[in-house]
Amino acid sequence: MVVSMLVFFTLAFPLKAQQDKKVTGSIITEKAFPFISMIRENKDLMKITGNDPVLKKQVLKQREKITASLKECGDAGCLASSVQFEPGDINAIGNELVKLYTEKAEFRQFISKLKDSDYYIVYESDFDTSFVRTVWKSVAAGINQALGVYIKGDRPRYFNIDAISFVPGDEKFLSIIRNDLRKELDNRENSSFFDIPINMVVNAMLVNERDEAARYEPLTEGMNKDPFESIAGINWDKYNYSVLLVPGEGPSVEGVNIDPKSINRCKLAAQKYNEGVVPFILVSGGHVHPNKTPYSEAVEMKKYLVNDLNIPGRAVIIDPHARHTTTNMRNAARIVYKFNLPADKKILITTDSLQNAFLLNMERRFKMELGCLPYRDLKKLDVESSEYYPVRNTLQVNSLDPLDP
């Protein structure tokens, strides 16, 4: 259902949320497009990219396309096309970024820092010039896809839970996009080749209420503060596993906060925790089912474990972002590295028999959706349990999935 613009903004962005829109946008950009965030954090790099003649021509071309679209376009899709990078532009920008790498010490230092960050770890064995091109192409592809999904209304991989919030031809949405584009043209601080496209991605995601990636950050605070602070005191010699992963199952009914399958998985996990098998339970699942649910699977599972099963809160870590089985496993491995859990220990998975059997037949889906396998030595232990070692490739950002990149 489409609501009026005033009511929409009141519902989507209450007063505090409106004040935090800039922060939310920064988090989305940092998580989905760290290449851009890291350039923006460096004044010298912003000056270099803003003053480069070839890149300045790209900015001028963008502005001319957008200006023309505001005069000629009668639908949001047409407006979005004016912001998306064309294949020739992607190649031209990539060539110029390689040139900057060869000519500017500051840019070489940036690329070294970018490699060290592990955000693009899958490409890190490439020569630096190839690394620059590949990273930029992945960024441009992510921007183009997000603009396609959240302005044009293109179909995402998981339409029922990831799609645009407006019906085709909605006049109020068209008006919002027009106004945002005009503001971006008027903003003379938009001097870099990526400024207007990434700003429009953030604007579109926020107006579609697609801020899932920014929720609960930083992940070491909030419901994870006590578990995170307790990690340093763990005697790891007592455990074969770093953590017990419990994938969530989203309810299919509006207003239901936790699905019976999640409850059953929590009971299995509580039993293993009480047996002393693991020091931590990691519950994983975001705001997924039904579409735009106010309930995070992980948050509700932690509440159930603590309040109903008497598991200490300091022993339950939440991953409130995962939207699929693939990202349940990837995000668990990421948390191992980001929370400084021992990566030489295996992750134990406890779930229902159907999902557990499914895990061993997902290799093709993992590679297709994530670009890599988020594990090594995945092994089924019994009907309801499996185990795997985390791998650092899970730290690779996925710009094609801005809801959980």
Side-chain angles (χ1 to χ4, degrees):
M1 181 176 68
V2 180
V3 296
S4 73
M5 194 187 311
L6 177 60
V7 173
F8 175 80
F9 275 98
T10 301
L11 292 175
F13 304 117
L15 182 58
K16 185 178 185 301
Q18 290 181 44
Q19 295 168 347
D20 291 345
K21 279 174 62 179
K22 186 173 182 180
V23 174
T24 299
S26 295
I27 295 172
I28 291 172
T29 304
E30 182 179 352
K31 289 184 71 172
F33 306 100
F35 172 83
I36 291 175
S37 288
M38 290 176 69
I39 292 179
R40 281 180 162 176
E41 291 168 0
N42 188 311
K43 292 181 180 179
D44 291 335
L45 288 176
M46 286 297 289
K47 187 178 292 185
I48 288 170
T49 57
N51 292 336
D52 180 84
V54 172
L55 297 180
K56 284 177 74 172
K57 285 183 180 179
Q58 287 292 330
V59 175
L60 180 60
K61 180 179 178 181
Q62 284 176 2
R63 288 181 168 276
E64 289 174 345
K65 284 172 59 182
I66 294 169
T67 299
S69 75
L70 288 170
K71 295 177 181 177
E72 301 166 4
C73 290
D75 61 84
C78 178
L79 294 174
S81 294
S82 72
V83 187
Q84 289 175 312
F85 293 101
E86 298 175 4
D89 297 330
I90 294 173
N91 290 333
I93 291 170
N95 290 339
E96 194 61 16
L97 292 176
V98 169
K99 184 180 177 184
L100 287 177
Y101 173 85
T102 61
E103 295 178 351
K104 302 288 185 180
E106 297 92 337
F107 203 82
R108 289 193 294 275
Q109 291 168 5
F110 160 64
I111 294 303
S112 177
K113 184 178 178 182
L114 192 64
K115 278 193 167 185
D116 289 342
S117 73
D118 287 339
Y119 287 128
Y120 300 99
I121 190 171
V122 172
Y123 316 139
E124 72 173 7
S125 61
D126 294 354
F127 289 115
D128 284 357
T129 51
S130 176
F131 176 81
V132 170
R133 285 187 202 277
T134 304
V135 169
W136 160 241
K137 285 183 178 180
S138 74
V139 170
I143 288 174
N144 280 356
Q145 176 162 297
L147 292 168
V149 172
Y150 296 111
I151 299 182
K152 286 185 174 182
D154 291 347
R155 189 180 183 89
R157 179 179 282 120
Y158 296 98
F159 180 80
N160 291 334
I161 57 172
D162 294 346
I164 194 171
S165 302
F166 294 86
V167 297
D170 182 82
E171 290 296 327
K172 290 184 173 62
F173 180 63
L174 176 60
S175 177
I176 291 170
I177 298 304
R178 282 187 180 279
N179 289 337
D180 283 345
L181 277 174
R182 290 192 182 102
K183 289 177 183 176
E184 295 300 333
L185 285 179
D186 291 341
N187 185 359
R188 289 299 156 181
E189 292 184 4
N190 288 336
S191 59
S192 290
F193 62 95
F194 51 71
D195 280 332
I196 293 179
I198 191 61
N199 289 349
M200 286 304 299
V201 165
V202 169
N203 291 342
M205 291 183 68
L206 292 183
V207 81
N208 278 283
E209 301 176 89
R210 289 300 185 184
D211 64 338
E212 287 93 336
R215 299 174 192 172
Y216 308 99
E217 296 290 353
L219 207 53
T220 53
E221 295 293 327
M223 294 181 78
N224 280 340
K225 187 175 189 295
D226 288 345
F228 179 70
E229 291 179 350
S230 71
I231 290 171
I234 298 296
N235 178 6
W236 290 105
D237 292 337
K238 293 172 56 179
Y239 302 101
N240 292 325
Y241 299 100
S242 60
V243 72
L244 169 56
L245 169 62
V246 185
E249 178 79 18
S252 58
V253 181
E254 294 280 352
V256 176
N257 66 319
I258 187 168
D259 189 85
K261 286 187 178 180
S262 289
I263 290 175
N264 290 335
R265 294 173 189 178
C266 285
K267 288 178 179 178
L268 293 170
Q271 181 179 344
K272 290 187 180 295
Y273 175 82
N274 289 327
E275 290 171 355
V277 175
V278 290
F280 295 103
I281 297 172
L282 194 166
V283 285
S284 175
H287 296 263
V288 188
H289 297 287
N291 186 34
K292 291 191 175 181
T293 175
Y295 301 110
S296 162
E297 295 167 9
V299 169
E300 298 307 316
M301 285 193 293
K302 175 161 185 172
K303 290 178 183 177
Y304 182 77
L305 282 163
V306 173
N307 298 333
D308 293 74
L309 302 181
N310 300 314
I311 303 297
R314 57 176 167 71
V316 184
I317 301 170
I318 67 166
D319 159 33
H321 295 122
R323 303 177 68 76
H324 314 288
T325 304
T326 52
T327 46
N328 288 139
M329 293 179 66
R330 181 201 66 182
N331 290 3
R334 283 181 174 180
I335 283 175
V336 165
Y337 292 106
K338 293 180 179 180
F339 282 35
N340 294 317
L341 296 167
D344 59 345
K345 291 186 180 293
K346 290 177 260 189
I347 295 171
L348 179 63
I349 308 172
T350 293
T351 184
D352 55 74
S353 58
L354 182 62
Q355 186 181 47
N356 196 45
F358 188 50
L359 294 176
L360 297 177
N361 298 294
M362 288 181 58
E363 184 171 325
R364 182 172 176 271
R365 180 178 162 191
F366 277 118
K367 290 179 178 178
M368 179 179 67
E369 295 186 13
L370 304 180
C372 63
L373 291 177
Y375 59 78
R376 67 176 175 85
D377 299 335
L378 175 63
K379 179 183 177 182
K380 183 177 179 180
L381 300 177
D382 56 45
V383 174
E384 296 166 330
S385 300
S386 293
E387 65 181 18
Y388 68 99
Y389 283 101
V391 292
R392 289 195 69 86
N393 277 2
T394 54
L395 298 173
Q396 170 84 13
V397 69
N398 183 5
S399 297
L400 295 175
D401 184 10
L403 304 189
D404 182 24

